[in-house]
Amino acid sequence: MAPRIAHTGLNVTDLDRSLALYRDLLGFAVLAEGKEDDQRWAMLGEIGGPPLVTLWQQAQGSYDSGRPGLHHLAFTVDSIDRVRDYESALRAAGVEFAYEGVVAHREGGTSGGIFFHDPDGIRLEISAPLGPDGAPAPHTAAPTCGFF
């Protein structure tokens, strides 16, 4: 049996700014947080559950999609209506999107979602397994989440 992902750790430049997205807009609970010297951290997830995302304030600059490492972090929800709720909240907060609106995961696909960037430029996805029928697919020969 292969190992399972326990959580994903992200380096951020400003923990407060990142918490405004991950906690306030996406709804993750802060399970723990702390500080060591000038470096701060927070573990996020659902109350009573394990950490899903950890934020480490120890980065400078912005995310570089041209370097090896994290491509994107994908979240899933139960319905396309919930994806659209997130889209509305994120747009109202001025979040940068990779595509306009909900897009299909592939041409003719039944799953899809939104693709956007966190305050440090890290690429994020929120998708649902069903619902975006008829939504465009930005790429015809590759998964939508692959090139943006």
Side-chain angles (χ1 to χ4, degrees):
M1 174 191 232
R4 294 180 303 262
I5 295 174
H7 67 270
T8 299
L10 303 174
N11 282 338
V12 300
T13 58
D14 182 328
L15 185 61
D16 293 325
R17 187 175 70 159
S18 293
L19 285 172
L21 176 91
Y22 290 94
R23 178 193 61 213
D24 302 342
L25 292 172
L26 299 183
F28 286 106
V30 177
L31 304 177
E33 64 182 305
K35 179 178 180 181
E36 178 139 347
D37 299 322
D38 291 335
Q39 296 174 314
R40 295 174 54 212
W41 56 271
M43 293 184 170
L44 308 174
E46 293 183 13
I47 300 289
L52 299 174
V53 176
T54 58
L55 303 175
W56 301 92
Q57 182 179 292
Q58 60 184 358
Q60 296 178 355
S62 63
Y63 177 77
D64 183 350
S65 64
R67 296 188 65 190
L70 179 74
H71 182 273
H72 74 287
L73 180 56
F75 302 106
T76 188
V77 294
D78 292 337
S79 72
I80 204 66
D81 290 335
R82 190 71 182 119
V83 171
R84 289 191 174 104
D85 291 343
Y86 279 112
E87 178 188 13
S88 295
L90 293 164
R91 285 200 187 281
V95 170
E96 177 190 337
F97 280 74
Y99 306 118
E100 188 59 39
V102 172
V103 294
H105 276 139
R106 62 178 175 80
E107 196 69 39
T110 59
S111 65
I114 54 174
F115 297 83
F116 57 100
H117 300 88
D118 85 351
D120 288 300
I122 297 170
R123 301 183 291 192
L124 303 173
E125 169 187 354
I126 299 176
S127 65
L130 298 172
D133 300 331
H139 306 287
T140 57
T144 295
C145 63
F147 301 109
F148 58 91

